[in-house]
Amino acid sequence: FGFLFPILRAALTGPRTAPGCEAALKILDRHTPLIAGDEADASVGPLRREMASAVLELLTHDRSQAFFDPTPYDALISCYITDDDKESSGPVLSSAELAPLLGDN
């Protein structure tokens, strides 16, 4: 995924819609369980900030409204899920991981 992510980010960012952009968001969303939890992958976890930034940039463009299953909002939420156990708060998010949400890029 570390090799594929720069390609996904390029497809999602920018004002123009390239063919296949919807699939890029779907692939990104399917890899969010690898950020934290039981399926965590050490190579994907550090990409949380960049993944969230790419989705946030997509949301700044009108074309983001054309994305369904998942929507950009669903993908963004998935970037910040920390644990599958709903009764547990999971690991604490770092300030660097929250920075894209707060406008600190």
Side-chain angles (χ1 to χ4, degrees), residues 50-75:
E50 288 81 13
M51 291 168 77
S53 292
V55 176
L56 284 168
E57 177 158 342
L58 172 63
L59 285 167
T60 65
H61 302 289
D62 290 338
R63 66 186 181 93
S64 69
Q65 297 172 11
F67 287 76
F68 297 99
D69 191 32
T71 67
Y73 298 106
D74 293 335

Side-chain angles (χ1 to χ4, degrees), residues 17-94:
T17 302
C21 284
E22 294 82 6
L25 184 63
K26 190 175 286 192
I27 292 168
L28 184 140
D29 186 61
R30 286 188 181 161
H31 282 83
T32 56
L34 300 176
I35 296 172
D38 294 338
E39 299 177 38
D41 183 318
S43 65
V44 178
L47 295 175
R48 182 192 315 255
R49 177 182 174 143
E50 288 81 13
M51 291 168 77
S53 292
V55 176
L56 284 168
E57 177 158 342
L58 172 63
L59 285 167
T60 65
H61 302 289
D62 290 338
R63 66 186 181 93
S64 69
Q65 297 172 11
F67 287 76
F68 297 99
D69 191 32
T71 67
Y73 298 106
D74 293 335
L76 183 61
I77 290 168
S78 294
C79 287
Y80 286 101
I81 291 175
T82 57
D83 197 352
D84 291 337
D85 182 6
K86 304 298 181 202
E87 295 177 13
S88 171
S89 64
V92 178
L93 297 169
S94 70

